[in-house]
Amino acid sequence: MGEPPDRRKFLTCGLGGVLGLAVVGPAVSLVVAPARGRSVTSPTEPLDVGDAGMLGPTWRRVDVVAPEIRDAWVTQKNVVLGAAFIRKGQKVEALSAVCPHLGCPVSLEQDSFLCPCHNSRFGKNGEQGAGPARRGLDPLPIAVVDGRLRLTWVQYKLDTAARVKV
Ligand code: FES
């Protein structure tokens, strides 16, 4: 004589549900866990941009490369974040090569800077000149550590007169 059918059905469904959770739970956790972790989409630590010995009193353009960028599921190595202009006069200075108008790359002319996208011009120290950009080029923190240039990549809100970090 067997168990009543309702009880058997209940036990079968209950056992199936527990087994299903045991399998699906870890799988869902595996997929969702990275999204709950810390994403690094732009490094906040200073980045090495070269030998300090290369600097002189005139601006020089350098690429700013992050050794590693992490998103929830993806890790990329040696990601070019943008570029900066650096020089050494009384002190070492750096300017972002991102145009503060709408973010195009700014180029260095003889003694000034030009953004070709909408013809914004900047003076020899990066100050605002002609064109639609509402502020000068953005300064970036830079230091010399053990003879190496260590630059902190900072992004600012575009098309504003005030410098607001994003
Ligand atoms: S993006 Fe540089 S002038 Fe518009």
Side-chain angles (χ1 to χ4, degrees):
M1 192 170 198
E3 297 174 49
D6 281 352
R7 187 167 176 207
R8 188 178 311 133
K9 194 173 174 183
F10 174 78
L11 286 174
T12 305
C13 286
L15 188 62
V18 168
L19 285 175
L21 279 177
V23 171
V24 172
V28 168
S29 173
L30 192 70
V31 172
V32 172
R36 285 183 280 154
R38 182 171 169 256
S39 287
V40 179
T41 52
S42 186
T44 53
E45 304 295 314
L47 300 167
D48 190 309
V49 291
D51 192 331
M54 72 175 172
L55 287 186
T58 55
W59 292 109
R60 180 184 180 130
R61 187 185 182 283
V62 294
D63 285 334
V64 180
V65 180
E68 185 177 288
I69 294 285
R70 277 183 285 123
D71 204 339
W73 289 272
V74 180
T75 299
Q76 293 176 281
K77 303 271 185 201
N78 299 320
V79 178
V80 178
L81 301 173
F85 301 105
I86 52 178
R87 72 177 175 187
K88 184 172 185 237
Q90 296 288 323
K91 58 179 183 162
V92 177
E93 299 171 276
L95 295 172
S96 174
V98 175
C99 179
H101 179 223
L102 296 179
C104 285
V106 171
S107 60
L108 180 58
E109 298 212 307
Q110 273 196 326
D111 201 19
S112 62
F113 300 91
L114 168 71
C115 177
C117 287
H118 311 100
N119 284 324
S120 279
R121 291 189 171 274
F122 306 90
K124 65 181 180 185
N125 298 312
E127 64 272 23
Q128 182 183 8
R134 298 167 65 193
R135 63 174 189 264
L137 296 179
D138 297 315
L140 297 173
I142 191 166
V144 178
V145 179
D146 297 330
R148 304 292 299 176
L149 294 164
R150 308 277 296 169
L151 179 135
T152 303
W153 184 245
V154 183
Q155 288 177 287
Y156 295 93
K157 206 168 176 180
L158 298 174
D159 202 21
T160 58
R163 218 160 255 137
V164 180
K165 287 183 185 178
V166 291

